[in-house]
């Protein structure tokens, strides 16, 4: 059932889950994970400092950013995932923005991820997918491709979200629903709810959080039925204006520099905090400026103030210890504001941390290195905030350090 509340004229989310009344009355809680990570730290100043904060009262902080909510345990970009993130003190929440066939904005990490993040392949809408389910064979993995642009908004809203996963060995669409990473869970997937972008604004606002929407690259050719890239970028901003959200509460993101430059020119108040996203690519060397592909002075001259960089660009191995990379130090020296993504997305770190920690995988030992990396990012790289799949860890650190 969907309702309208005094919070907004938009059609909102299910009454029992809309956080307008009940999340704001729920204190921020850390849960057991931050203490678990502190206990695992080796003896030393960082452990002493973080252990000294065990009795502190948790507070919401903008340094802690919910990455798609709290998808370590909850289906990403759902009401439940974001309520969980807010309850862990995330002061900024994210909606990755894409569009439907009728050009309505919805929260999905990619325009073409419905086959892994929803039940579409086992629903009546399966025949609308760009690419049907193909079972695994001896020489090929199971596959499918289902896009938000394959559906109208009304159709999208009938889908059931699930943990992002796919069983590439599946021979049926039902089997393909599996494949959840072993460090994630399905305990909190039942009854989760998708969101439109406008609904996310209303929810985040009711939770007392600020906003960092990411304009996702379309999987369809643009313009799409007359809907241009500029229309897309503008519509995202218009939904904040319609909801009465001040530009100072919004950090609009894109990997497409043209989107960022568009906001700077067309919506200068929102453009002040527009975030240019960058990530590790083949050939990148965090110590070698010739491989960075970003000229900080040029970005500043164009009005770009924020860079959102992947962790592997910001961390390096310095004499066997985690340290801020030359890239991070150069960005800081150029007065660029850095945001780091994404902590606690790699699962247990005993095996080196995977892609997010690839620049330091040889010195990553266990999950306590999440806190060591966080300390380096905050104190040495000087980041403005850190995305995490489980925001309580970042919240605890930020509260303890007074960030």
């Amino acid at each position: 059932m969907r309702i309208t509340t005094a919070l907004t004229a938009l059609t909102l989310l299910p009454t029992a889950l809309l956080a307008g009344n009940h999340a704001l009355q729920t204190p921020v809680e850390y849960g057991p994970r931050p203490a678990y990570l502190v206990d695992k730290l080796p003896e030393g100043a960082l452990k002493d400092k973080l252990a000294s904060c065990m009795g502190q009262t948790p507070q919401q902080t903008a340094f802690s950013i919910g990455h798609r909510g709290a998808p370590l345990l909850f289906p990403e970009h759902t009401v439940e995932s974001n309520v969980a993130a807010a309850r862990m003190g995330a002061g900024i929440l994210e909606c990755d923005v894409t569009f439907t066939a009728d050009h309505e904005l919805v929260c999905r990490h990619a325009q073409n991820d419905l086959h892994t993040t929803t039940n579409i392949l086992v629903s009546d809408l399966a025949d609308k997918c760009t690419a049907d389910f193909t079972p695994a064979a001896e020489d090929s993995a199971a596959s499918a491709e289902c896009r938000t642009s394959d559906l109208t908004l009304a159709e999208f809203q009938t889908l059931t979200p699930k943990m992002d996963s796919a069983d590439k060995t599946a021979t049926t669409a039902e089997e393909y629903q599996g494949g959840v990473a072993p460090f994630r869970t399905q305990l909190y997937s039942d009854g989760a709810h998708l969101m439109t972008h406008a609904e996310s604004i209303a929810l985040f606002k009711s939770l007392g959080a600020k906003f960092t929407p990411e304009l996702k690259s379309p999987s369809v050719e643009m313009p799409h039925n007359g809907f241009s890239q500029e229309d897309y970028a503008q519509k995202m901003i218009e939904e904040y204006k319609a909801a009465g959200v001040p530009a100072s509460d919004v950090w609009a993101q894109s990997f497409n520099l043209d989107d960022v430059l568009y906001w700077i020119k067309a919506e200068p108040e929102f453009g002040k905090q527009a975030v240019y996203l960058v990530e590790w690519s083949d050939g990148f060397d965090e110590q070698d400026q010739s491989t960075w592909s970003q000229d900080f002075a040029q970005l500043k001259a164009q009005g770009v103030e924020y860079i959102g960089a992947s962790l592997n660009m910001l961390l390096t191995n310095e004499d066997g210890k985690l340290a801020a990379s030359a890239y991070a130090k150069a960005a800081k020296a150029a007065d660029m504001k850095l945001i780091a993504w994404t902590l606690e997305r790699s699962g247990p770190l005993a095996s080196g941390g995977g892609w997010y920690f690839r620049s330091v995988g040889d010195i990553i030992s266990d999950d306590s290195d999440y806190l060591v990396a966080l300390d380096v990012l905050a104190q040495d790289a000087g980041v403005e905030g850190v995305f995490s799949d489980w925001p309580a860890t970042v919240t605890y650190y930020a509260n303890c350090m007074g960030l």
Side-chain angles (χ1 to χ4, degrees), residues 54-396:
M54 289 292 184
Q56 69 182 357
T57 300
Q59 300 289 330
Q60 186 182 60
T61 168
F63 190 83
S64 179
I65 308 171
H67 180 244
R68 316 182 204 179
L72 195 62
L73 276 80
F74 293 82
E76 64 186 47
H77 289 309
T78 60
V79 177
E80 293 74 11
S81 188
N82 282 286
V83 170
R87 285 174 172 163
M88 286 185 274
I92 302 175
L93 298 173
E94 179 187 44
C95 169
D96 287 330
V97 178
T98 189
F99 59 85
T100 60
D102 45 354
H103 301 149
E104 296 298 329
L105 304 184
V106 296
C107 299
R108 286 292 88 197
H109 179 249
Q111 190 168 53
N112 62 340
D113 74 0
L114 294 183
H115 51 290
T116 64
T117 64
T118 76
N119 70 331
I120 189 169
L121 289 176
V122 293
S123 77
D124 293 339
L125 295 171
D127 60 355
K128 288 183 171 286
C129 290
T130 293
D132 295 337
F133 171 74
T134 300
E138 288 187 8
D139 59 349
S140 61
S143 64
E145 184 180 2
C146 305
R147 302 173 176 176
T148 58
S149 53
D150 293 333
L151 309 178
T152 65
L153 175 60
E155 290 169 333
F156 170 82
Q157 290 175 319
T158 68
L159 297 175
T160 299
K162 69 180 189 69
M163 294 299 282
D164 185 10
S165 66
D167 183 347
K168 297 300 182 66
T169 68
T171 57
T172 67
E174 288 74 17
E175 292 175 350
Y176 192 74
Q177 306 303 295
V180 177
F183 59 87
R184 299 187 187 274
T185 180
Q186 298 185 78
L187 286 174
Y188 305 101
S189 296
D190 186 53
H193 297 80
L194 299 173
M195 296 185 296
T196 67
H197 177 236
E199 288 170 343
S200 80
I201 294 172
L203 178 67
F204 300 174
K205 193 174 182 181
S206 74
L207 292 166
K210 297 182 180 181
F211 314 83
T212 186
E214 180 188 337
L215 197 75
K216 302 304 293 189
S217 298
S219 298
V220 295
E221 186 176 348
M222 300 293 277
H224 178 258
N225 296 333
F227 190 57
S228 69
Q229 186 69 24
E230 292 77 14
D231 293 335
Y232 178 31
Q234 185 63 42
K235 184 165 185 172
M236 190 182 85
I237 299 300
E238 290 298 333
E239 294 196 344
Y240 289 96
K241 294 163 71 174
V245 175
S248 58
D249 285 353
V250 180
W251 286 262
Q253 311 171 77
S254 181
F255 280 98
N256 182 354
L257 180 57
D258 287 341
D259 292 337
V260 175
L261 298 180
Y262 172 82
W263 291 322
I264 290 170
K265 181 178 179 180
E267 293 287 347
E269 290 304 307
F270 287 88
K272 289 178 182 177
Q273 294 186 161
V275 182
Y276 177 39
L277 296 170
V278 295
E279 63 181 338
W280 180 296
S281 59
D282 289 342
F284 176 82
D285 179 349
E286 79 275 6
Q287 302 295 332
D288 183 356
Q289 186 171 356
S290 68
T291 72
W292 294 350
S293 79
Q294 291 90 34
D295 184 312
F296 300 131
Q298 184 178 29
L299 289 175
K300 290 283 286 188
Q302 295 176 96
V304 179
E305 297 290 336
Y306 286 83
I307 290 179
S310 53
L311 292 186
N312 42 30
M313 298 178 71
L314 303 178
L315 299 172
T316 196
N317 177 348
E318 187 174 283
D319 299 326
K321 295 182 180 180
L322 285 172
S325 68
Y327 177 90
K329 292 176 180 178
K332 184 178 179 181
D335 199 31
M336 299 297 303
K337 296 179 175 66
L338 285 173
I339 297 173
W341 54 274
T342 299
L343 200 73
E344 295 182 281
R345 189 156 180 83
S346 299
L349 296 184
S351 59
W355 185 84
Y356 287 88
F357 289 87
R358 65 179 297 176
S359 59
V360 290
D362 54 339
I363 57 170
I364 292 293
S365 59
D366 61 45
D367 282 3
S368 68
D369 282 320
Y370 277 127
L371 292 175
V372 178
L374 191 53
D375 192 53
V376 169
L377 292 169
Q379 306 304 327
D380 299 335
V383 301
E384 303 286 314
V386 178
F387 281 88
S388 181
D389 278 20
W390 198 243
T393 302
V394 180
T395 302
Y396 182 92

